[in-house]
Amino acid sequence: MATLLYRLGRFAFRRRHFVALFWVALLALAGAGAAGAPVAGNSSFSIPGTEAQKAFDVLEERFPGSSADGATARVVFKAPAGEKMTDAGHRATVQDTVGELSDGSEVARVTDPYAGGGVSKDGTVAYASVTYQVSGMELEDSSRDFLQDAAESARDTGLTVEIGGDALQAVPATGAAEIIGIGVAAVVLVITFGSLVAAGLPLLTALIGVGIGVASITALASTLELGSTTSILAMMIGLAVGIDYALFIVSRYRAELAEGREREDAAGRAVGTAGSAVVFAGLTVVIALVGLSVVNIPMLTKMGIAAAGTVAIAVLIALTMVPALLGYAGRRVRAAGEKGKPGGRKAKNADEEKPQQQAQRPNLGTRWASFVVRRPVAVLLLGVVGLGAAAVPASSLELGLPDDGSQPTSTTQRRAYDLLSEGFGPGFNGPLVVVVDAKDSDDPDAVFRQTGDDIKALDGAVSVSPAAPNKAGDTATITVVPDSKPSSVATEDLVHDIRDAGADVRADTDADVLVTGATAMNIDVSQKLNDALLPYLTLVVGLAFLLLIVVFRSILVPLKAALGFLLSVMAALGAVVAVFQWGWLSGLMGVEETGPVMSMMPIFMVGVVFGLAMDYEVFLVTRMREAYVHGEKPSQAVVTGFRHGARVVSAAAVIMMAVFAGFIGSSEAMVKMIGFGLAVAVFFDAFVVRMAIVPAVLALLGGKAWWLPKWLDRVLPNVDVEGEGLRTDAERKGGSPGDDRDLARV
């Protein structure tokens, strides 16, 4: 592989006009497709295989036109102090608002509070339910504006009016912090390279890659039902890995220049060595993201595949466009260790050797690695204990999906939630819909009555509505209001109790009793994600473990990498629990309301963090493997790897943390939480696991770290990530290990 990538790097360097034109044309094509594509909302949130989804499907079939999965809004009215909503003037205002809302273009139906029991017992709060024909994210902006205008008109009469439900869902915004994250990345690159030109190359190529990826997602969003969150997460991951991959190529290019190689040859060798690491690091990220499909949640699958596509583009750009831009930059990108303005074609004697001499001076990475090699046990224990302490909060992890109760108190959704809780009880915000399918029963009406009576006998149900059958009389819905808030354990227990009672009904009458609604759907999603976590972890870690065996030709190094990842991801989950569930530093992070951690957070973090963790493992340990293969002792190989890789890996980690942290400013709770979790996970993995635990373990293992059974060594393909083939070819031919004319002929 190293030889092939070497030729690709030289080809891109020499044919830079063609390569640059290709990527710019692709960006323009993707941009044109995005500009001409129809606006798409969020992808439909279907959860195959869950009872809640099955109930939704039955409702769609047996209650046609009911818009079971359509957006909903609750317009909540509260009378001024000392007055009631049953007063004639307030009653007229509410009924005028109901009539106005009924004229909405996408409205399926509106309930009158005075005709449907929508007034609280004390008469101070009332609500009107609005059901739409489309989902919340498919709703036209004009419909949202119409809803808010109707509420504002009612406010003008002196009533307090707030709007809850998913009808006001909006496309999440990331805020200015994202731009700050990119700015931090730029500063780190300038400090790392000491040159604006060299620093600008990774930023430019990453932005082009993300531009192509996000524009392609936007162009295909309507056709593939890709939501707005999909492009945000693809941008988050694409920016981070795009900058990092280009950073490693440029850094290796400067190191090759410092060894006295011509620029074209240095570009080829940079792609042949660091580029090999980029390919395998990118492959681990892609495996982790595509592996999200095993969860069988379409939204999560689409998010993973879209982000994986953006990562694949970042890899291809790093291998081709980076060497092309290095060709354009010429002498403006200096050799590692070279100071001042670039001089002539080549310096003489002492000046010629100066970059090499500077590169060999002990840097911070060398000094740190030497310290770890001398005291591996102490460093290992300190790292493991520290991560273990950070992971302690994860033991109290509570999972759930957000509702209006988790919104900031400044939002109308949260104020509506609180008003409903005040007027009707906390469970009113999360009613359960029980679907009784008695099509195969002899007496459906008796089944409906029995089901209702069984539910009334359960603890935790504050009210149970009479069964509402369909026109055919074979299916009915029963609305159950819990006595606890939607995200509570008590409500989850009630859902399970209703399902247990439904099993008894089925045994007696052959009728299906299914529980659905937003609350039941959230419970089912959380359970599905929990059940999928172990198989997903096994699949992703197993595939990556096999891949790393091929890369490092070792058993213990990939095993150490996997165990280190588990430490870092558990510590990151602990930090997420501490901030978003316990409320530590919540003000600093912009978390206005604490609550359960989002159900998909652990599995998404496992996927993304594993891929990113393997990035640092591949980049750092490949340098150690390269030194070991070239004859250095195991302990010295660790120091050599740090001398060449520590500064770059540290810069890459800071950049990735800055990019992820930029998304903490998002208005979307999931994006905010994922941005924080990934930033913390990168910190733990890069600076504790890879920079401390990895060299300590390798120092303790010595030569055993690179042990591989002979039979396995013969079976495994030799991918030559460390570039040994380049040296062999050069020694055999007495010159460069390849020529891009070979590639051009292909």
Side-chain angles (χ1 to χ4, degrees):
M1 173 179 286
T3 302
L4 176 63
L5 292 178
Y6 171 86
R7 292 172 178 169
L8 177 62
R10 291 192 67 192
F11 172 82
F13 186 95
R14 183 176 295 179
R15 305 288 189 265
R16 47 188 172 273
H17 301 312
F18 168 77
V19 173
L21 181 62
F22 170 80
W23 286 111
V24 171
L26 192 59
L27 176 62
L29 184 64
V39 177
N42 207 1
S43 55
S44 56
F45 192 76
S46 62
I47 313 296
T50 61
E51 180 173 317
Q53 185 63 50
K54 183 180 178 182
F56 269 127
D57 296 340
V58 171
L59 287 174
E60 285 292 326
E61 178 187 349
R62 307 288 173 81
F63 293 83
S66 64
S67 301
D69 60 349
T72 59
R74 278 178 168 178
V75 183
V76 187
F77 307 86
K78 183 177 181 180
E83 302 178 20
K84 294 188 176 182
M85 291 305 305
T86 51
D87 295 346
H90 298 328
R91 187 184 185 113
T93 297
V94 172
Q95 290 179 328
D96 288 345
T97 303
V98 169
E100 183 180 352
L101 290 171
S102 299
D103 296 333
S105 59
E106 295 178 300
V107 173
R109 61 184 177 278
V110 182
T111 61
D112 186 331
Y114 304 100
V119 182
S120 64
K121 290 182 180 180
D122 62 5
T124 60
V125 178
Y127 74 93
S129 293
V130 185
T131 304
Y132 291 88
Q133 298 168 356
V134 296
S135 66
M137 291 302 288
E138 295 172 327
L139 206 60
E140 296 287 343
D141 288 339
S142 58
S143 295
R144 293 193 184 92
D145 294 339
F146 187 81
L147 174 63
Q148 291 173 320
D149 290 344
E152 189 61 38
S153 298
R155 288 191 190 102
D156 292 340
T157 66
L159 293 175
T160 298
V161 186
E162 305 295 347
I163 306 170
D166 62 352
L168 292 184
Q169 276 186 324
V171 175
T174 55
E178 177 191 347
I179 306 300
I180 296 175
I182 297 176
V184 172
V187 172
V188 173
L189 287 169
V190 171
I191 294 173
T192 302
F193 291 136
S195 164
L196 289 175
V197 175
L201 292 181
L203 281 176
L204 177 60
T205 54
L207 290 173
I208 291 175
V210 167
I212 294 172
V214 172
S216 300
I217 291 170
T218 304
L220 298 172
S222 178
T223 303
L224 301 180
E225 295 185 340
L226 303 176
S228 55
T229 305
T230 303
S231 60
I232 289 179
L233 294 175
M235 181 190 304
M236 179 193 302
I237 297 170
L239 268 178
V241 300
I243 294 174
D244 278 7
Y245 293 165
L247 167 64
F248 283 107
I249 299 287
V250 175
S251 177
R252 187 57 183 257
Y253 170 76
R254 297 176 70 237
E256 296 293 338
L257 288 179
E259 293 183 9
R261 291 190 171 86
E262 296 292 337
R263 293 186 177 274
E264 183 177 329
D265 185 45
R269 286 180 173 272
V271 175
T273 51
S276 297
V278 165
V279 169
F280 283 98
L283 193 53
T284 59
V285 179
V286 169
I287 288 173
L289 291 171
V290 174
L292 290 170
S293 59
V294 304
V295 184
N296 196 27
I297 294 180
M299 183 185 74
L300 198 59
T301 299
K302 292 172 183 177
M303 286 165 52
I305 292 175
T310 307
V311 171
I313 292 171
V315 171
L316 293 174
I317 282 185
L319 298 178
T320 57
M321 193 166 188
V322 169
L325 293 181
L326 289 172
Y328 283 116
R331 299 182 183 280
R332 287 186 291 273
V333 176
R334 299 190 294 270
E338 185 178 333
K339 304 294 183 182
K341 295 181 180 180
R345 185 173 181 275
K346 258 193 177 180
K348 299 289 185 181
N349 301 326
D351 291 337
E352 180 181 295
E353 297 176 358
K354 189 175 181 180
Q356 291 190 50
Q357 292 170 352
Q358 289 177 343
Q360 297 300 320
R361 291 176 182 173
N363 55 21
L364 182 59
T366 303
R367 294 194 294 272
W368 169 250
S370 299
F371 171 80
V372 174
V373 167
R374 289 195 304 270
R375 297 175 178 82
V377 175
V379 172
L380 179 60
L381 288 177
L382 186 61
V384 171
V385 171
L387 290 178
V392 168
S395 62
S396 62
L397 175 68
E398 296 177 8
L399 297 177
L401 288 177
D403 55 20
D404 286 347
S406 62
Q407 296 269 12
T409 53
S410 59
T411 63
T412 185
Q413 295 97 320
R414 173 59 187 273
R415 291 196 293 264
Y417 180 98
D418 291 340
L419 286 177
L420 289 172
S421 296
E422 174 188 331
F424 299 91
F428 196 78
N429 284 289
L432 307 174
V433 179
V434 180
V435 180
V436 185
D437 180 3
K439 188 175 183 179
D440 297 329
S441 301
D442 297 332
D443 188 353
D445 290 336
V447 174
F448 300 155
R449 287 193 300 273
Q450 177 186 343
T451 304
D453 292 341
D454 289 348
I455 296 174
K456 289 177 183 177
L458 297 175
D459 293 334
V462 70
S463 70
V464 181
S465 72
N470 62 348
K471 289 183 179 180
D474 59 5
T475 307
T477 60
I478 300 173
T479 302
V480 181
V481 177
D483 64 2
S484 52
K485 63 181 182 178
S487 60
S488 69
V489 175
T491 300
E492 183 176 348
D493 291 340
L494 177 61
V495 170
H496 293 312
D497 290 343
I498 295 174
R499 287 172 174 170
D500 290 341
D504 296 336
V505 171
R506 177 172 179 78
D508 296 338
T509 65
D510 291 331
D512 279 337
V513 178
L514 308 170
V515 185
T516 189
T519 301
M521 180 67 82
N522 289 352
I523 292 170
D524 286 354
V525 170
S526 297
Q527 187 61 49
K528 191 177 182 70
L529 288 165
N530 287 341
D531 293 342
L533 183 58
L534 185 58
Y536 173 70
L537 193 60
T538 302
L539 173 69
V540 171
V541 174
L543 287 176
F545 180 77
L546 295 175
L547 183 65
L548 292 178
I549 289 177
V550 174
V551 173
F552 294 127
R553 308 195 74 78
S554 165
I555 298 293
L556 295 179
V557 170
L559 180 62
K560 165 198 59 63
L563 294 177
F565 152 73
L566 292 176
L567 277 173
S568 60
V569 79
M570 289 303 298
L573 277 176
V576 169
V577 170
V579 173
F580 290 88
Q581 189 175 308
W582 292 359
W584 294 4
L585 302 177
S586 57
L588 182 63
M589 297 298 163
V591 180
E592 296 188 36
E593 295 296 326
T594 59
V597 173
M598 206 159 310
S599 298
M600 63 179 63
M601 182 68 187
I603 199 164
F604 191 85
M605 179 179 283
V606 164
V608 177
V609 173
F610 184 79
L612 300 179
M614 294 308 102
D615 278 2
Y616 300 121
E617 181 75 13
V618 170
F619 289 130
L620 191 60
V621 180
T622 295
R623 273 290 200 172
M624 301 178 191
R625 167 76 181 173
E626 183 178 339
Y628 179 76
V629 168
H630 292 163
E632 292 189 9
K633 293 181 179 180
S635 58
Q636 184 57 38
V638 172
V639 176
T640 300
F642 267 74
R643 183 174 70 244
H644 292 295
R647 178 183 176 90
V648 180
V649 169
S650 299
V654 172
I655 289 169
M656 199 170 279
M657 288 166 55
V659 172
F660 287 147
F663 287 85
I664 296 175
S666 173
S667 61
E668 177 68 28
M670 184 175 76
V671 175
K672 178 189 290 287
M673 191 178 293
I674 289 176
F676 171 80
L678 293 182
V680 172
V682 168
F683 171 77
F684 286 145
D685 196 86
F687 292 106
V688 181
V689 174
R690 309 303 153 189
M691 290 292 181
I693 294 178
V694 165
V697 171
L698 290 177
L700 289 172
L701 290 175
K704 296 177 182 178
W706 309 108
W707 172 79
L708 187 69
K710 292 183 179 179
W711 65 268
L712 187 56
D713 188 42
R714 291 192 298 269
V715 172
L716 292 179
N718 185 10
V719 295
D720 189 22
V721 176
E722 63 274 359
E724 180 65 16
L726 299 182
R727 174 175 295 192
T728 302
D729 279 356
E731 291 172 350
R732 183 174 64 248
K733 297 179 180 179
S736 298
D739 194 296
D740 68 329
R741 286 189 292 266
D742 297 333
L743 184 64
R745 284 196 293 270
V746 175

